[in-house]
């Protein structure tokens, strides 16, 4: 019997489409409403099933995979699975990543027969999950009949790829194995939407008008640049202009840090390399894929105060003008051809450029400190390194590091979910086994998603986890302290040995001194059979000046009284 003579099902259709858009790993947590669907996905030779410890971790692992691969899929069961996976789906939405959330759902006959089912609210309404998914995806579909599946699956996936946002596909348990037609050409799903020619030309002309007469232009890069696939075009534009280029913290690594025009991270009072000084000196600010939120503006205290030219992923805005359906790579490429060279801001920046820091090298017997950890992590970075920094002081320590050419940097600043880095780095590393993935994470964040280290052990992923143990939620302490920021201490190295059981090869190490950390890093560098966790114990009050400063301003922004509140 030929392949075309075999029964082709809804589950087969989804599997083929996932493989055709380049997905090679699907992240799953089984439940009785998705088991037939999981069988169909596993039968596709181009897909590898990756089981996760729970649905939160599953969705976060898929989020990390989407960062590396460009798209990902998370498959869970109804309600008890999907509602947990909504967290990572929200992260994908906030971080502009096309994560495809697939949920099994009850048999199509049950709603009409008014059955009360397990894994539901018990009120006979089974539409609530679909309605909730609409709020956190760019497209949500619920397959009610097998013949509708091809149209709905294609629609959801295409929307996700174009918008760089997650989508939601709900497939009832009795339809996953139901017959449906085979897919048509994948180009119907993946074809790129180019800029409207007239809008692109008008936006280019408006950009020229905006820059005309400006003496001090600066380019500010935001995290949407990479999501739009426009890094090469940005580099061409920057070199054509010759001006200073700063990046937002969530865009670290998206412009080469060894490039002569790189002036640092613009982050208000906690900027690096005097980037804030040169940005505030500018009379023209070209914002490329930027996101101005309370975190990136240090509690709204670092919002640029000049009229901006803002180029987003699919539109461009100027003072008094807006152009839709202008794709970022095409706009930047066009602008690179028509701008004039103006290095005024680089001339000024070279007068402001800070002198290189002379870092103190701790003696081997010295107690471990945050600064010494950062110094040693800096030495770990190379052209094939990917560094994940967790929400907390790891943000600020990671931002200070210098990325060599080729190194990648991953941060989740818009969603800011503590614990994100552990499952996300796992998903990322599955796509990039040739890269060395390093995670900087605090003890509080680690406790949220620690179970996913067991999957790193299972799949023998050699991630190095630098766990900074200061016995609490330090970032929350600096925003608003309280007894709730103290956590139960764990024996983290012992936990890794527990994950090993009888067949794992992870390593759990403890570093109390600078010398012990150096020895542990040397062990991790040679270990390829699984993850290496290095527990770095430091004083509870040892946190960065930048975190303290940032925390004060964010706390102030959080504490603003309601505008309508009457003062007595």
């Amino acid at each position: 019997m030929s392949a075309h003579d075999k029964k082709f099902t809804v589950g087969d259709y989804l599997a083929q489409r996932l493989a055709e858009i380049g997905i090679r790993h699907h992240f799953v947590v089984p439940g009785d409403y998705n088991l037939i669907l999981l069988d169909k996905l596993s039968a596709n030779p181009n897909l590898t099933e990756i089981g996760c410890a729970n649905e939160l971790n599953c969705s976060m692992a898929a989020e990390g995979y989407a960062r590396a691969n460009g798209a990902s899929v998370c498959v869970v069961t109804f309600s008890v699975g999907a509602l947990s996976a909504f967290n990572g789906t929200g992260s994908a939405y906030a971080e502009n990543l096309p994560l495809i959330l697939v949920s099994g759902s009850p048999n199509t006959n049950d709603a009409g027969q008014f059955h009360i089912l397990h894994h539901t609210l018990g009120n006979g309404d089974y539409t609530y999950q679909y309605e909730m998914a609409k709020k956190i995806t760019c497209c949500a579909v619920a397959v009610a009949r097998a013949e509708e599946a091809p149209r709905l699956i294609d629609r959801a996936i295409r929307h996700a790829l174009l918008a760089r946002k997650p989508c939601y596909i709900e497939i009832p348990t009795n339809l996953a194995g139901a017959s449906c037609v085979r897919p048509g050409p994948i180009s119907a799903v993946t074809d790129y939407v180019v800029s409207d020619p007239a809008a692109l030309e008008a936006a280019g002309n408006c950009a020229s008008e905006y820059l005309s007469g400006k003496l001090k232009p600066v380019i500010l890069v935001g995290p949407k640049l990479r999501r739009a696939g426009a890094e090469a075009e940005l580099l061409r534009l920057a070199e054509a202009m010759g001006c200073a280029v700063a990046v937002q913290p969530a865009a670290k690594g998206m412009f080469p840090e060894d490039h002569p025009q790189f002036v640092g991270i613009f982050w208000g009072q906690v900027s690096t390399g005097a980037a804030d000084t040169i940005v505030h000196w500018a009379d023209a600010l070209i914002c490329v894929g930027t996101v101005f939120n309370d975190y990136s503006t240090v509690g709204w205290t670092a919002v640029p105060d000049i009229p901006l030219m803002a180029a987003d992923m699919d539109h461009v805005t100027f003072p008094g003008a807006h152009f839709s359906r202008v794709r970022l790579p095409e706009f930047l490429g066009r602008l690179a051809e028509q701008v004039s060279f103006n290095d005024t801001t680089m001339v000024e920046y070279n007068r402001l450029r800070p002198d290189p820091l002379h870092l103190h090298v701790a003696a081997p017997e010295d107690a471990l400190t945050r600064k010494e950890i950062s110094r040693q992590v800096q030495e770990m970075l190379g052209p094939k390194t990917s560094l994940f920094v967790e929400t907390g002081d790891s943000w600020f320590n990671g931002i200070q590091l210098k990325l060599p050419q080729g190194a990648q940097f991953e941060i989740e600043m818009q969603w800011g979910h503590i614990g994100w880095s552990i499952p996300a780095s796992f998903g990322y590393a599955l796509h990039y086994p040739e890269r060395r993935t390093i995670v900087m994470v605090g003890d509080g964040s680690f406790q949220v998603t620690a179970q996913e280290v067991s999957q790193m052990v299972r799949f023998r992923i050699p991630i190095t986890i630098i766990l900074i143990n200061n016995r609490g939620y330090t970032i929350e302490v600096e925003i608003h302290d309280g007894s709730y920021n103290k956590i139960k201490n764990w024996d983290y190295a012992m936990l890794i040995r527990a994950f090993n059981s009888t067949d794992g090869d992870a390593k759990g190490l403890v570093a109390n001194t600078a010398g012990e950390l150096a020895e542990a890093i040397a062990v991790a560098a040679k270990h390829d059979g699984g993850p290496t966790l290095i527990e770095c114990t430091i004083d509870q009050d040892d946190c960065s000046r930048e975190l303290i400063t940032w925390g004060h301003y964010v706390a102030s922004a959080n504490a603003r009284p309601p505008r309508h509140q009457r003062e007595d």
Side-chain angles (χ1 to χ4, degrees):
M1 180 185 291
S2 70
H4 268 280
D5 293 330
K6 291 181 180 179
K7 179 182 177 182
F8 194 81
T9 68
V10 171
D12 295 327
Y13 190 101
L14 176 64
Q16 184 168 327
R17 281 310 200 206
L18 296 176
E20 286 175 335
I21 65 170
I23 290 174
R24 293 295 175 264
H25 300 84
H26 57 291
F27 298 86
V28 311
V29 177
D32 57 342
Y33 290 130
N34 72 8
L35 298 179
I36 295 173
L37 179 60
L38 294 183
D39 288 341
K40 298 299 181 181
L41 297 177
S42 297
N44 188 296
N46 295 311
L47 297 176
T48 299
E49 181 181 276
I50 305 296
C52 296
N54 58 56
E55 288 86 358
L56 168 63
N57 291 1
C58 186
S59 62
M60 290 296 188
E63 195 260 28
Y65 187 85
R67 289 170 180 261
N69 185 62
S72 66
V73 63
C74 168
V75 189
V76 295
T77 196
F78 192 69
S79 237
V80 294
L83 298 195
S84 182
F86 277 176
N87 204 322
T89 308
S91 177
Y93 194 102
E95 304 290 330
N96 298 290
L97 295 164
L99 181 157
I100 301 165
L101 176 62
V102 181
S103 175
S105 63
N107 186 294
T108 55
N109 297 300
D110 285 312
Q113 295 175 329
F114 304 102
H115 290 162
I116 301 299
L117 300 175
H118 68 286
H119 292 345
T120 74
L121 299 178
N123 60 5
D125 176 15
Y126 306 127
T127 64
Y128 60 90
Q129 182 173 295
Y130 166 65
E131 294 298 328
M132 293 168 70
K134 289 179 181 179
K135 299 292 186 180
I136 57 170
T137 63
C138 68
C139 180
V141 299
V143 178
R145 297 184 302 146
E147 51 266 38
E148 292 180 338
R151 174 179 62 85
L152 294 175
I153 290 171
D154 283 4
R155 174 186 163 203
I157 294 175
R158 178 161 176 77
H159 274 72
L161 296 179
L162 288 180
R164 314 307 295 171
K165 297 285 187 182
C167 69
Y168 171 81
I169 301 173
E170 186 173 294
I171 300 178
T173 182
N174 61 327
L175 293 189
S179 297
C180 78
V181 299
R182 292 177 180 273
I186 190 60
S187 56
V189 176
T190 59
D191 261 9
Y192 181 76
V193 174
V194 299
S195 299
D196 174 73
L200 179 60
E201 182 178 1
N205 293 337
C206 198
S208 297
E209 182 179 337
Y210 171 79
L211 291 171
S212 66
K214 300 294 196 304
L215 302 176
K216 302 177 292 184
V218 168
I219 297 174
L220 179 62
V221 181
K224 294 181 182 179
L225 175 78
R226 179 170 293 164
R227 307 295 185 251
E231 289 169 278
E233 289 80 3
L234 170 71
L235 186 59
R236 285 195 359 243
L237 173 62
E239 293 179 344
M241 292 187 68
C243 65
V245 180
V247 306
Q248 292 187 303
K252 182 177 173 67
M254 296 185 190
F255 187 82
E257 295 195 355
D258 59 354
H259 195 283
Q261 290 171 244
F262 177 70
V263 300
I265 310 295
F266 175 66
W267 202 359
Q269 296 86 339
V270 295
S271 296
T272 69
D276 56 332
T277 302
I278 203 67
V279 167
H280 290 306
W281 187 71
D283 64 357
L285 197 57
I286 304 172
C287 295
V288 181
T290 48
V291 175
F292 295 105
N293 63 21
D294 53 338
Y295 276 12
S296 68
T297 64
V298 194
W300 307 114
T301 63
V303 180
D305 57 1
I306 61 173
L308 310 176
M309 181 179 86
D312 212 307
M313 291 197 291
D314 60 0
H315 62 272
V316 186
T317 304
F318 301 89
H322 173 89
F323 302 95
S324 298
R325 213 182 119 187
V326 176
R327 312 298 292 189
L328 188 58
E330 295 162 11
F331 175 71
L332 296 181
R334 183 184 184 92
L335 195 55
E337 297 173 356
Q338 60 189 62
V339 294
S340 300
F341 188 84
N342 181 351
D343 65 351
T344 304
T345 49
M346 280 310 304
V347 172
E348 179 68 11
Y349 181 75
N350 286 329
R351 298 171 59 210
L352 301 167
R353 190 187 299 271
D355 294 330
L357 293 175
H358 297 287
L359 297 176
H360 171 71
V361 179
E365 66 275 11
D366 287 350
L368 199 54
T369 64
R370 174 191 59 81
K371 289 185 178 180
E372 179 61 17
I373 295 171
S374 294
R375 188 193 70 78
Q376 293 198 32
V377 170
Q378 178 69 71
E379 295 181 352
M380 298 173 70
L381 303 183
K384 290 191 174 182
T385 301
S386 296
L387 177 65
F388 278 70
V389 294
E390 179 61 74
T391 299
D393 206 16
S394 294
W395 275 359
F396 301 90
N397 296 322
I399 288 294
Q400 298 290 330
L401 299 176
K402 306 297 182 185
L403 297 180
Q405 184 71 34
Q408 297 293 323
F409 185 87
E410 297 295 341
I411 187 171
E412 189 211 29
M413 182 160 279
Q414 178 62 40
W415 194 241
H417 187 294
I418 64 170
W420 156 85
S421 64
I422 296 301
S425 64
F426 167 60
Y428 179 99
L430 282 167
H431 178 79
Y432 279 136
E434 73 278 10
R435 299 188 67 84
R436 195 73 180 186
T437 301
I438 301 170
V439 179
M440 296 179 70
V441 61
D443 53 327
S445 295
F446 180 82
Q447 290 191 10
V448 177
T449 53
Q451 308 97 318
E452 219 55 33
V453 175
S454 67
Q455 305 305 326
M456 300 179 190
V457 177
R458 178 185 184 185
F459 291 97
R460 301 188 179 277
I461 307 296
I463 295 173
T464 302
I465 301 170
I466 306 295
L467 189 150
I468 298 93
N469 185 357
N470 54 9
R471 291 171 171 75
Y473 298 126
T474 302
I475 189 170
E476 306 292 357
V477 169
E478 298 307 327
I479 294 175
H480 188 97
D481 198 8
S483 60
Y484 34 76
N485 290 323
K486 308 298 187 289
I487 64 173
K488 174 68 176 71
N489 192 39
W490 290 2
D491 187 333
Y492 296 96
M494 182 68 75
L495 181 65
I496 298 306
R497 292 195 282 275
F499 285 149
N500 275 337
S501 186
T502 58
D503 58 351
D505 191 24
K507 293 189 179 298
L509 308 171
V510 178
N512 296 308
T513 67
E516 289 173 351
L517 177 57
E519 292 171 2
I521 288 173
V523 170
K526 297 176 182 178
H527 182 59
D528 291 323
T532 300
L533 182 145
I534 306 172
E535 179 185 348
C536 304
T537 59
I538 63 173
D539 188 90
Q540 193 164 20
D541 293 326
D542 184 5
C543 67
S544 66
R545 173 183 59 82
E546 290 79 11
L547 171 57
I548 296 170
T549 301
W550 177 88
H552 290 174
Y553 283 105
V554 171
S556 179
N558 288 346
R560 288 169 299 162
R563 286 191 173 184
H564 64 271
Q565 181 172 309
R566 189 174 66 188
E567 295 184 6
D568 296 327

